[in-house]
Amino acid sequence: MTRRRSAVALVLAGWVGVSPSQVAAQMASPEPSGLMRVAIAQGEPQVELIVTGQFRLTNAATEEVLRYRPRLPQITFTAVPEGILMGTQLMLVPGLMIEPTEDATVRIRGQRLRGAVSVTRQPDQTLLVINHLDLEDYLRGVLAKEVPDYWPGEALKAMAIASRTYALFQRVAKNDAAYDVTADVMSQLYGGKSAERWRTRRAVRDTRGLVLTDRRSIFPAYYH
């Protein structure tokens, strides 16, 4: 399949009040990409994380590096009025960003995640945990959760295109929100690296950059 920005007529603009120009801006590059923000946990006072491999811990608001560590054993993050408890250590910040190196992995609730993870204290003293990762990496963690990986290859490719379209549209529509999608049925089921299968990874790879758009709405200059 060749790279195309408009393969099938599907009206995206207007679903939730997003203008064609906003979607067109996202389509300006040959391959729609960028980071997705996936809400892994929210409304919980505590979450447990494990990091295998080297990682960097930063203040999520200022990007100030707080420490480098070779690994993070299972540790509980707790929302408190002063900030966030990391185990028994009080971090006087509203949010933390855990950025693993390329060969490191963050694990939460038994799921291994690609990319970085932020832990943010909310006004009601609960935590919001967001996985920040590349769009294509996100899709690898979605596809096998949404459809069986034994489906025919062309069906998996179609699902990959539909999932990429949905994710990109949500990112445009929720640009000012704290996250783009959730990891449950309210968006698309997402299982992180743990959910990846080789056939669904291949479907994502073979459709890279392909999304569904209404060409007449997104690219009116081509239609007179």
Side-chain angles (χ1 to χ4, degrees), residues 134-144 160 163-164 167 188 204:
D134 181 78
L135 170 62
E136 300 300 307
D137 287 339
Y138 164 70
L139 294 173
R140 292 183 183 97
V142 164
L143 215 55
S163 292
R164 183 181 294 105
Q188 301 184 106
V204 172

Side-chain angles (χ1 to χ4, degrees), residues 49 96-100 106 113 115-119 129-132:
L49 294 177
L96 296 167
M97 180 72 77
I98 302 166
E99 302 175 85
V106 179
L113 305 176
V117 171
S118 63
V119 180
V129 181
I130 298 176
N131 188 192
H132 304 254

Side-chain angles (χ1 to χ4, degrees), residues 27-64:
M27 303 297 180
S29 62
E31 293 187 359
S33 59
L35 290 179
M36 289 295 297
R37 302 169 300 167
V38 187
I40 302 296
Q42 53 183 320
E44 300 179 19
Q46 294 183 330
V47 294
E48 291 185 345
L49 294 177
I50 301 173
V51 182
T52 55
Q54 184 79 25
F55 73 95
R56 184 174 70 167
L57 184 70
T58 64
N59 181 328
T62 65
E63 299 185 1
E64 174 192 1

Side-chain angles (χ1 to χ4, degrees), residues 102-123:
E102 188 173 344
D103 59 345
T105 303
V106 179
R107 186 186 297 268
I108 178 172
R109 295 172 176 166
Q111 294 181 333
R112 292 175 297 141
L113 305 176
R114 295 181 183 273
V117 171
S118 63
V119 180
T120 307
R121 187 194 73 232
Q122 301 299 288

Side-chain angles (χ1 to χ4, degrees), residues 1-8 27 30-32 135-136 139 157-166 168 203-213:
M1 299 175 75
T2 57
R3 291 187 302 183
R4 293 164 293 160
R5 285 177 289 177
S6 48
V8 181
M27 303 297 180
E31 293 187 359
L135 170 62
E136 300 300 307
L139 294 173
K157 290 179 184 178
M159 187 63 195
I161 294 171
S163 292
R164 183 181 294 105
T165 303
Y166 176 85
L168 183 61
V204 172
R205 180 198 66 199
D206 290 348
T207 61
R208 184 179 181 90
L210 288 175
V211 294
L212 305 174
T213 66

